[in-house]
């Protein structure tokens, strides 16, 4: 049904950390069924430094963070399920995964911090 991503950074205790929480909301099987959801968190970047300044972030993670956030905002996420003997596994990627039938879904991106 939809995918929401909250991303943000924080600094303190000798590090700048940037992470994201991804919430996947699945439609119920029928109109009467409630939607199901699951979420997961990912660590995107960590810069160990006594003082995080714009200059330090510019020289380390800024360009890649900017590129990744633009990709989330502009491209559709390919969401699918990989079936195997033990059950199924969710696949989420911005590029096609061989052998996985995927549905393209726009991601709502919220920057927090």
């Amino acid at each position: 049904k939809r995918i929401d991503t909250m991303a943000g950074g924080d600094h303190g205790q000798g590090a700048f950390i940037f992470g994201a929480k991804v919430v996947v909301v699945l439609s119920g099987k029928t109109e009467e069924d409630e939607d199901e959801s699951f979420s997961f968190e990912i660590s995107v970047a960590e810069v160990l430094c006594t003082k995080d300044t714009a200059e330090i972030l510019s020289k380390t993670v800024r360009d890649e963070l900017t590129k990744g956030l633009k990709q989330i905002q502009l491209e559709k996420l390919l969401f699918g399920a990989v079936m195997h003997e033990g059950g199924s596994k969710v696949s989420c990627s911005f590029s096609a995964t061989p052998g996985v039938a995927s549905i393209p879904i726009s991601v709502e991106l919220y920057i927090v911090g």
Side-chain angles (χ1 to χ4, degrees):
K1 183 175 182 177
R2 75 174 195 273
I3 298 175
D4 298 329
T5 300
M6 287 69 62
D10 194 13
H11 59 88
Q13 298 181 356
F16 168 78
I17 300 171
F18 193 92
K21 181 170 188 170
V22 179
V23 179
V24 179
V25 180
L26 304 170
S27 294
K29 292 179 181 157
T30 67
E31 294 276 330
E32 294 80 32
D33 289 344
E34 287 189 33
D35 294 341
E36 293 183 40
S37 68
F38 65 92
S39 64
F40 56 93
E41 294 180 7
I42 54 175
S43 177
V44 178
E46 183 174 358
V47 178
L48 301 176
C49 52
T50 55
K51 196 170 202 175
D52 57 348
T53 64
E55 182 180 4
I56 290 171
L57 298 178
S58 175
K59 290 180 178 180
T60 55
V61 297
R62 183 192 67 191
D63 292 346
E64 289 300 311
L65 278 177
T66 301
K67 187 168 87 175
L69 291 170
K70 281 183 181 178
Q71 182 178 32
I72 292 170
Q73 182 183 15
L74 299 174
E75 295 181 25
K76 292 190 181 292
L77 185 67
L78 300 175
F79 180 79
V82 180
M83 305 304 282
H84 55 85
E85 286 182 21
S88 62
K89 194 175 175 181
V90 172
S91 169
C92 293
S93 176
F94 285 103
S95 57
T97 304
V100 177
S102 301
I103 299 169
I105 299 176
S106 294
V107 176
E108 291 294 327
L109 176 63
Y110 303 93
I111 304 296
V112 296

